[in-house]
């Protein structure tokens, strides 16, 4: 009720203030032009009341037509200023024309011009003063002091957002920019106080505790460098980015992805579109981290249909709900036939039915058991799903004339010491053994860990920080390769365009990251201090786990592709008949007690083609 009364009061008060300004402007113009005293002015007004009434009525009409009082005074801008100027000039023009036609009353041109200037200055001035007072009141309520890193259009946009939004308890003290030519200049009345190299000293001088990074055009590596400097200065850090969908700015917390600092992925969209657009695409393991992201990336290329297969209904249901929501906002997605199937890749009858009915043209095989310690305890299941399931999918691809099959592999397939790695090594050999089938182009894509994937170390650390206050790491020296989920999926699509005949593509994962460093950074991102607020404990390597992973057997024998982040591992000649015979023999041994040893031994067998 109070809000309603305040709104009604505003609807009356603001137009009244504007009309009083118009009246005052015209009276001031008369006084200035004719140097009237108070008595003479009152007498003149009494004689010209009809003139003043016309002035008031015309201005009221123009203010309504130009919707002057629909704008909020606290957000006065250049656009609103132009509207005010336009309304006043138009009103004064019609007033002058009226009295040029009406002979009974006259009005001086000089009075009209002086009144016009006074009216514009008065109406804009009262709004600027009102806005200034509101901002000062808002600033008094903000306790957090901050700087904006980036003295460009992004920084200016962010500054206005923070200043005008009560949701940010932040008072901006200045801007920071590495362009030395900008130092000493001002943006919106706030100074550019230094560079990112000076953050620690600036923090001491200006007493700020937060930094907002507002450089939307900066590369990921540049953002990482800035974040590192902010962390050294112990600043709470947030990032402004522009949404690809809405083109609106949004502020988010620093994520572990930002600390990874990997470069931008550049794709040859035309080559990807050539084998995906208007095609029927099947993704196995579609509910998983990589599988679901592959689906998100694939729909950008407008396939005819996207068949999503997974054994786990919950993740597939989540993906279905996500795409249903997207369809409401993006009409082009409605043209894609979306199919969601619950099935096991080891079920030959289910695969036969799916391939026969949907006739996929490209298959991405992401279905696999991936957790190393768990697979050590159930090697039989690891073989059935990872090896036998892949074999069944490849056989279905060949039978139903799929044009391309792309296998998702892992760095654990290189010199494997565990069951999961061994199964992935076997299916990489399978791709090369069955590549000369004359129907389907087979290839594999090998990469390391992906950040925030299901069951990965990042979600585990987050839970430990939140619930136990103790982060557990297997070994202080353990290292892993990392990339983001979208990056991995995009490069898989690009590798698929390069696929020609049994290649094992290897993604450039950059430098390996110490898991200890990752844990420490994640603790800091949570606003806590490692070893003080959150303890770090070392529990020893788990069964089958290595200190360091490898991406290739021989780096020097890798072949470059047209994409700097994708390489081709040394090809291997694998005899298909010998390999398939060995696979069937291995399947017959699944119930043996030494199946784990059999799996690890299998990868070192000689399947070379006979000369």
């Amino acid at each position: 009720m109070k809000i309603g009364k305040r709104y009604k009061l505003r609807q009356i008060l603001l137009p009244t203030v504007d009309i009083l300004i118009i009246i005052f402007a015209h009276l001031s113009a008369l006084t200035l032009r004719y140097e009237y005293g108070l008595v003479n002015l009152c007498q003149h007004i009494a004689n010209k009341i009809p003139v003043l009434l016309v002035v008031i009525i015309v201005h009221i009409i123009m203010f309504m037509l130009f919707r002057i009082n629909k704008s909020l005074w606290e957000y006065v801008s250049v656009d609103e200023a132009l509207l005010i100027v336009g309304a006043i000039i138009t009103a004064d023009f019609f007033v002058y024309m009226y009295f040029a036609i009406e002979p009974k009353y006259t009005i001086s041109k000089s009075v009209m011009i002086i009144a016009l200037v006074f009216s514009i200055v008065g109406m804009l001035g009262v709004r600027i003063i009102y806005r200034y007072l509101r901002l000062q009141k808002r600033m008094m309520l903000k306790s957090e002091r901050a700087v904006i890193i980036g003295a460009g259009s992004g920084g200016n946009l962010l500054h206005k957002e923070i200043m005008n939004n009560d949701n940010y308890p932040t008072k901006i003290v200045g801007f920071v920019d590495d362009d030395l030519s900008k130092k000493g200049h001002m943006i919106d009345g706030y100074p550019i106080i230094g560079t990112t190299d000076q953050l620690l000293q600036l923090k001491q001088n200006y007493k700020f505790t937060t930094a907002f990074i507002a450089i939307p055009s900066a590369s990921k590596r540049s953002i990482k460098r800035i974040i590192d400097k902010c962390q050294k200065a112990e600043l709470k850090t947030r990032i402004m980015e522009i949404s690809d969908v809405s083109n609106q700015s949004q502020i988010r917390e620093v994520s572990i992805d930002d600390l990874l600092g990997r470069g931008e992925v550049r794709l040859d969209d035309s080559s990807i579109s050539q084998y995906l657009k208007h095609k029927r695409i099947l993704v196995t393991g579609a509910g998983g981290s990589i599988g679901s992201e592959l689906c998100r990336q694939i729909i950008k290329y407008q396939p005819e249909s996207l068949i999503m297969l997974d054994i786990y209904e919950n993740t597939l249901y989540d993906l279905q709900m996500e795409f249903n929501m997207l369809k409401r906002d993006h009409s082009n997605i409605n043209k894609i036939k979306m199919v969601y199937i619950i099935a096991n890749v080891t079920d030959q009858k289910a695969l036969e039915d799916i391939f026969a009915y949907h006739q996929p043209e490209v298959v991405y095989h992401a279905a696999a058991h991936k957790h190393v310690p768990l697979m050590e305890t159930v090697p039989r299941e690891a073989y059935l799903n990872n090896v036998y399931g892949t074999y069944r999918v490849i056989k279905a691809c060949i039978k139903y004339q799929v044009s391309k099959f792309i296998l998702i592999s892992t760095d654990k397939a290189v010199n494997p010491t565990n069951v999961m790695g061994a199964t992935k090594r076997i299916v990489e050999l399978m791709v090369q053994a069955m590549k000369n089938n004359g129907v389907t182009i087979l290839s594999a894509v090998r990469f390391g860990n992906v950040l925030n994937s299901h069951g990965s170390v990042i979600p585990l650390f987050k839970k430990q920080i939140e619930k136990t206050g103790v982060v557990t790491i297997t070994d202080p020296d353990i290292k892993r390769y990392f990339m983001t989920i979208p990056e991995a999926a995009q490069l898989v699509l690009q590798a698929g365009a390069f696929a020609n005949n049994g290649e094992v593509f290897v993604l450039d994962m950059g430098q390996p990251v110490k898991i200890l460093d990752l844990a420490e950074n994640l603790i800091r991102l949570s606003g806590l201090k490692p070893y003080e607020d959150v303890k770090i404990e070392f529990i020893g390597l788990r069964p089958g786990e290595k200190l360091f992973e490898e991406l290739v057997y021989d780096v020097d024998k890798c072949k470059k592709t047209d994409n700097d982040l994708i390489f081709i591992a040394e090809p291997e000649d694998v005899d298909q008949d010998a390999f398939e015979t060995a696979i069937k023999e291995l399947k017959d041994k699944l119930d043996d007690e030494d199946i784990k040893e059999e799996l690890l031994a299998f990868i070192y067998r000689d399947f070379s083609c006979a000369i």
Side-chain angles (χ1 to χ4, degrees):
M1 187 65 180
K2 290 182 179 179
I3 295 176
K5 287 183 178 179
R6 192 184 308 154
Y7 176 77
K8 290 179 180 178
L9 181 62
R10 179 187 180 283
Q11 293 295 97
I12 298 172
L13 181 61
L14 299 188
T16 302
V17 170
D18 284 341
I19 293 304
L20 289 175
I21 289 171
I22 296 299
I23 294 171
F24 180 78
H26 280 77
L27 295 181
S28 298
L30 284 171
T31 304
L32 185 64
R33 170 67 179 80
Y34 297 111
E35 298 184 358
Y36 281 141
L38 180 60
V39 175
N40 291 335
L41 179 62
C42 292
Q43 184 178 358
H44 185 91
I45 292 171
N47 294 332
K48 294 287 183 75
I49 285 179
V51 174
L52 194 57
L53 288 174
V54 170
V55 169
I56 293 170
I57 292 169
V58 172
H59 277 81
I60 289 174
I61 293 171
M62 288 303 125
F63 290 169
M64 292 174 65
L65 290 175
F66 280 76
R67 300 173 64 84
I68 296 299
N69 290 113
K70 294 298 181 182
S71 301
L72 297 175
W73 281 22
E74 61 186 294
Y75 302 118
V76 62
S77 63
V78 173
D79 290 338
E80 186 179 11
L82 291 175
L83 274 179
I84 290 171
V85 171
I88 293 172
I89 291 175
T90 305
D92 282 357
F93 172 77
F94 280 109
V95 168
Y96 181 78
M97 291 301 296
Y98 175 81
F99 287 112
I101 297 170
E102 171 56 56
K104 187 175 181 181
Y105 296 99
T106 59
I107 189 166
S108 168
K109 293 180 184 178
S110 56
V111 170
M112 290 292 295
I113 293 172
I114 295 170
L116 183 146
V117 174
F118 283 179
S119 297
I120 292 172
V121 171
M123 288 184 65
L124 291 179
V126 73
R127 283 162 170 78
I128 291 170
I129 292 170
Y130 178 81
R131 182 188 180 190
Y132 176 79
L133 293 175
R134 285 293 300 263
L135 286 176
Q136 290 304 309
K137 181 181 178 182
R138 185 178 284 126
M139 289 301 103
M140 291 175 63
L141 299 175
K142 296 187 175 188
S143 56
E144 185 180 72
R145 294 170 67 85
V147 290
I148 294 176
I149 299 176
S153 57
N156 187 34
L157 179 66
L158 178 60
H159 177 253
K160 293 181 183 301
E161 173 67 17
I162 292 173
M163 293 286 285
N164 293 313
N165 194 330
D166 291 331
N167 292 327
Y168 297 109
T170 307
K171 184 186 297 184
I172 301 300
V173 299
F175 290 81
V176 171
D177 199 289
D178 288 335
D179 185 349
L180 296 176
S181 65
K182 292 182 178 180
K183 188 174 181 180
H185 291 75
M186 304 187 80
I187 294 180
D188 215 7
Y190 287 79
I192 300 170
I193 58 178
T195 67
T196 55
D197 290 330
Q198 302 169 321
L199 277 173
L200 188 57
Q201 184 61 47
L202 293 172
K203 176 187 175 183
Q204 295 172 354
N205 294 343
Y206 290 89
K207 310 299 180 187
F208 55 83
T209 57
T210 302
F212 291 91
I213 301 174
I215 318 175
S217 60
S219 67
K220 292 180 181 179
R221 286 176 181 166
S222 297
I223 294 295
K224 182 184 182 301
R225 285 196 295 270
I226 295 172
I227 292 171
D228 289 342
K229 292 174 183 179
C230 290
Q231 286 196 335
K232 288 179 181 177
E234 296 185 344
L235 293 172
K236 183 179 178 181
T237 310
R238 296 175 184 172
I239 299 175
M240 184 194 87
E241 59 184 20
I242 306 297
S243 171
D244 293 334
V245 177
S246 63
N247 204 32
Q248 297 292 314
S249 65
Q250 54 190 17
I251 298 174
R252 62 172 177 81
E253 301 291 339
V254 173
S255 71
I256 204 72
D257 297 19
D258 300 311
L259 296 177
L260 194 62
R262 291 183 58 82
E264 306 294 329
V265 175
R266 292 178 175 84
L267 301 178
D268 180 4
D269 284 325
S270 62
S271 64
I272 299 173
S273 181
Q274 189 173 355
Y275 83 100
L276 292 182
K277 190 171 185 179
H278 304 319
K279 301 292 176 60
R280 298 179 296 278
I281 316 297
L282 168 65
V283 178
T284 71
S289 303
I290 296 297
S292 60
E293 185 61 28
L294 278 171
C295 294
R296 294 184 191 99
Q297 299 291 339
I298 288 168
I299 61 174
K300 297 177 182 178
Y301 295 93
Q302 287 295 301
E304 176 187 317
S305 62
L306 178 58
I307 304 109
M308 291 159 276
L309 183 153
D310 204 292
I311 193 172
Y312 186 44
E313 62 177 318
N314 290 347
T315 52
L316 195 60
Y317 173 79
D318 291 340
L319 188 62
Q320 182 181 22
M321 293 301 101
E322 178 184 333
F323 283 163
N324 286 345
M325 291 177 66
L326 274 177
K327 285 183 176 182
R328 299 171 190 168
D329 302 321
H330 302 278
S331 58
N332 57 327
I333 297 179
N334 288 311
K335 300 175 184 177
I336 304 170
K337 182 182 178 182
M338 304 281 196
V339 182
Y340 307 89
I341 301 173
I342 302 296
N344 192 327
V345 291
T346 64
D347 186 338
Q348 184 174 352
K349 169 107 176 28
L351 288 178
E352 292 272 350
D353 291 343
I354 293 165
F355 276 76
Y357 184 79
H358 294 287
Q359 294 290 313
E361 296 170 89
V362 178
V363 173
Y364 293 95
H365 184 49
H369 290 320
K370 67 173 186 175
H371 294 291
V372 170
L374 282 176
M375 294 304 102
E376 290 297 292
T377 63
V378 284
R380 183 178 190 277
E381 291 301 320
Y383 174 88
L384 285 173
N385 195 62
N386 293 6
V387 179
Y388 183 67
T390 302
Y391 182 71
R392 292 261 58 90
V393 173
I394 290 177
K395 283 293 188 179
C397 287
I398 297 170
K399 180 177 179 179
Y400 291 95
Q401 299 186 330
V402 171
S403 62
K404 281 192 178 185
F405 167 90
I406 298 100
L407 167 74
I408 305 302
S409 189
T410 170
D411 56 358
K412 294 172 179 61
V414 181
N415 294 318
T417 58
N418 52 65
V419 168
M420 196 282 278
T423 61
K424 283 296 188 179
R425 171 62 178 159
I426 292 171
V427 292
E428 284 189 358
L429 291 170
M430 186 185 298
V431 164
Q432 295 175 92
M434 303 175 72
K435 64 185 178 184
N436 295 319
N437 59 76
V439 178
T440 304
I441 294 173
L442 306 178
S443 67
V445 183
R446 182 195 298 161
F447 51 90
N449 295 9
V450 287
L451 290 172
N452 288 316
S453 61
H454 296 157
S456 66
V457 69
I458 301 302
L460 172 63
F461 284 169
K462 287 180 178 178
K463 288 180 181 178
Q464 289 178 332
I465 292 168
E466 181 183 349
K467 295 184 178 181
T468 68
V470 178
V471 168
T472 57
I473 299 175
T474 54
D475 189 282
D477 295 321
I478 193 168
K479 291 183 178 181
R480 290 292 182 266
Y481 290 99
F482 284 99
M483 65 168 44
T484 64
I485 295 174
E487 182 183 6
Q490 290 167 355
L491 290 174
V492 167
L493 296 187
Q494 184 67 82
F498 296 151
N500 185 43
N501 189 28
E503 300 92 345
V504 175
F505 295 99
V506 182
L507 304 188
D508 181 357
M509 301 291 296
Q511 294 300 313
V513 178
K514 284 186 73 171
I515 300 299
L516 177 58
D517 293 342
L518 205 62
E520 289 174 348
N521 282 325
L522 199 60
I523 292 168
R524 293 189 188 100
L525 288 180
S526 302
L528 304 169
K529 293 183 178 180
Y531 309 105
E532 294 182 22
D533 302 318
V534 178
K535 295 180 181 179
I536 296 178
E537 292 183 358
F538 301 103
I539 59 175
L541 292 174
R542 297 172 296 182
E545 198 167 37
K546 294 193 291 186
L547 271 179
F548 310 101
E549 297 289 2
E550 305 158 273
L551 284 166
V552 292
Y553 283 90
D554 190 339
V555 176
D556 295 329
K557 293 183 179 179
C558 279
K559 181 183 175 182
K560 290 185 178 181
T561 68
D562 291 338
N563 188 298
D564 292 338
L565 296 176
I566 303 176
F567 298 83
I568 301 175
E570 181 185 12
E572 299 176 74
D573 289 324
V574 183
D575 184 85
Q576 182 174 350
D577 292 335
F579 183 83
E580 289 197 66
T581 299
I583 283 291
K584 291 172 183 176
E585 290 174 354
L586 188 59
K587 186 173 184 292
D588 293 335
K589 297 178 181 179
L590 285 182
D591 295 324
D592 293 355
E593 291 184 2
D594 59 350
I595 183 59
K596 177 178 175 180
E597 287 72 23
E598 291 276 358
L599 281 169
L600 290 169
F602 185 93
I603 62 176
Y604 296 106
R605 293 177 61 173
D606 184 9
F607 298 107
S608 300
C609 293
I611 297 175

